[in-house]
Amino acid sequence: MKSGTRKCVIAVAMLAAGLAYARRPLGQGPYASSRSEKNGKIIEFDVPGASTSPGLGTQAFANNDWGAVVGFYTDANIVPHGFLRLPNGKIISFDAPGAGLAAGADQGTVAYSINDWGEIAGQFEDPNNVFHGFLRHADGSFVTIDPPGTGTSANQGAVGTANINNRGSVAGYFVDGNFQPHGFIRTRKGEFTVFDVKGAAGGTVICLETCLNDEGAVTGWYFDANGTGHGFVRDPEGNISTFDGPSENGSPTVFTLGASINAEGEVTGYFLDSNFVAHSYLRKPNGKIITLDDPSASTAAGEGTAAFSLNFFGAVTGEYNDAASAMHGFVRSPKGNYKTIDAPGAGPGAGQGTRPSTNNAQGQVTGWYVDGNNLNHGFVWTCDDDD
């Protein structure tokens, strides 16, 4: 699972942005902490049994509208496990059937997405280092997801099964036998659609944790023959529109990532300008793109603002980097107002800080932060007003 990173093309894209990525349970008890900050309330948490070694710990990837949170943690034997944190604070650890659990192998299970019915999507790595997607039903039963054409050798397979919507459809990407990524959508009935963007030379990648809306539209990114990355939206009928971030200072963008799409068809993500500074954006259903940069973000090369999630009402969350390359979370309201999310335990150094992942319809944000010892911890942030 290579637990400190997102696999394959996702990891490459995030590194290209120059943004750093990379356990006490929520609720009552000795593992939880809750503090009120001027911009909202933060609860920090660690999953019991998570490693305390640098680069490991707990990472929360998604929350649903009821406040349930999913992600993964890595134990002291370097085995990743999925977790579900219920709204009442109870944490359930789980392993997908077939996941590699050998000490030191760094295989295991990662949960990326949860819908409002409590269904969870993610990926696992088997003992042969082949990746598979999974769907975990609310009753705890599992379905393995291997799209047609999936590679069966080490580091191939469904390496990016990342999103499940409220209709039970699952989206992501897989790597074939030639190590090329392809997008896929799987319906609740188990029917697969595999697709690529026309002109994609380096494959088609979807998605982050909220890249599939309930209508079946998806967003993601692809690379052309020149190595330039472009965003795309595929509508429920299969029509694909491509797009690039707005030109900055008259220079073309070098990479655009589609990260999240809501029910209205609005898309958020980020793009890199010719100086490799990251800028967040909001793309309207009519194709108009608005740049959304946090006012406190550094504008140095390799820094900037990256949006990761867009909720039902149009609020955006993501991270920005400061001049020291430390991460800070942000939320931009539909009115255009910004709030900063800094977990109290977050470190101030390069690659440290607070990294939001998703925001739900209630405005709650979940993600993880990296402390001064480079250990990951989960968090949930709740806004202190209705701005």
Side-chain angles (χ1 to χ4, degrees):
M1 193 60 59
K2 316 326 175 234
S3 52
T5 64
R6 302 296 303 275
K7 286 297 292 184
C8 197
V9 182
I10 291 182
V12 173
M14 298 309 180
L15 288 173
L19 298 171
Y21 288 74
R23 299 176 181 119
R24 290 183 274 259
L26 282 164
Q28 303 301 316
Y31 296 97
S33 62
S34 173
R35 310 186 191 189
S36 293
E37 306 296 323
K38 64 179 181 179
N39 283 327
K41 180 180 179 181
I42 288 181
I43 298 175
E44 304 169 345
F45 68 94
D46 294 319
V47 176
S51 172
T52 57
S53 297
L56 302 179
T58 298
Q59 290 176 274
F61 278 120
N63 57 345
N64 66 13
D65 290 340
W66 298 100
V69 174
V70 296
F72 83 103
Y73 69 98
T74 305
D75 67 23
N77 292 319
I78 320 299
V79 178
H81 309 272
F83 76 82
L84 165 64
R85 188 262 174 191
L86 300 174
N88 65 5
K90 179 181 178 182
I91 290 182
I92 299 168
S93 174
F94 61 87
D95 299 302
L101 300 176
D106 197 14
Q107 295 163 344
T109 303
V110 172
Y112 283 135
S113 178
I114 181 170
N115 66 16
D116 290 341
W117 301 101
E119 297 170 316
I120 299 168
Q123 70 183 43
F124 67 92
E125 190 174 1
D126 69 24
N128 296 314
N129 297 312
V130 179
F131 289 86
H132 309 268
F134 72 81
L135 166 62
R136 182 185 187 272
H137 293 293
D139 63 3
S141 61
F142 283 82
V143 174
T144 298
I145 298 176
D146 289 317
T150 297
T152 57
S153 298
N155 297 315
Q156 297 176 353
V159 301
T161 304
N163 195 201
I164 183 167
N165 67 15
N166 284 324
R167 295 186 178 182
S169 294
V170 174
Y173 76 97
F174 67 90
V175 174
D176 66 19
N178 295 316
F179 290 95
Q180 290 295 303
H182 308 273
F184 77 88
I185 300 172
R186 178 191 184 273
T187 68
R188 179 178 291 278
K189 295 179 179 180
E191 300 165 335
F192 284 93
T193 298
V194 174
F195 68 92
D196 286 295
V197 178
K198 184 178 180 180
T204 300
V205 179
I206 58 173
C207 49
L208 300 189
E209 295 80 22
T210 55
C211 70
L212 173 69
N213 69 15
D214 287 347
E215 286 66 41
V218 294
T219 189
W221 68 97
Y222 70 98
F223 293 95
D224 64 23
N226 297 318
T228 300
H230 309 273
F232 75 85
V233 174
R234 182 184 186 273
D235 70 22
E237 286 72 46
N239 303 304
I240 295 177
S241 301
T242 64
F243 62 91
D244 295 302
S247 174
E248 296 288 318
N249 301 318
S251 299
T253 60
V254 298
F255 175 74
T256 300
L257 179 149
S260 180
I261 185 168
N262 67 10
E264 298 298 318
E266 296 175 314
V267 173
T268 197
Y270 65 90
F271 64 94
L272 303 183
D273 66 23
S274 58
N275 295 315
F276 291 90
V277 178
H279 304 271
S280 290
Y281 68 83
L282 178 66
R283 181 182 186 269
K284 296 292 186 178
N286 63 5
K288 181 180 179 181
I289 296 178
I290 304 167
T291 300
L292 312 177
D293 285 338
D294 191 283
S296 299
S298 170
T299 57
E303 313 294 358
T305 308
F308 303 132
S309 181
L310 173 71
N311 74 5
F312 179 84
F313 297 104
V316 174
T317 192
E319 71 164 86
Y320 70 87
N321 282 7
D322 63 24
S325 296
M327 301 178 290
H328 304 269
F330 77 87
V331 172
R332 180 188 184 272
S333 76
K335 298 177 182 178
N337 299 318
Y338 287 82
K339 290 182 179 292
T340 297
I341 303 174
D342 282 321
Q352 299 173 354
T354 304
R355 198 282 194 186
S357 190
T358 63
N359 57 336
N360 65 17
Q362 312 306 319
Q364 292 179 323
V365 175
T366 195
W368 67 92
Y369 70 91
V370 183
D371 68 20
N373 295 315
N374 295 313
L375 179 65
N376 298 312
H377 310 264
F379 77 85
V380 173
W381 176 90
T382 301
C383 186
D384 56 4
D385 59 40
D386 59 357
D387 178 30

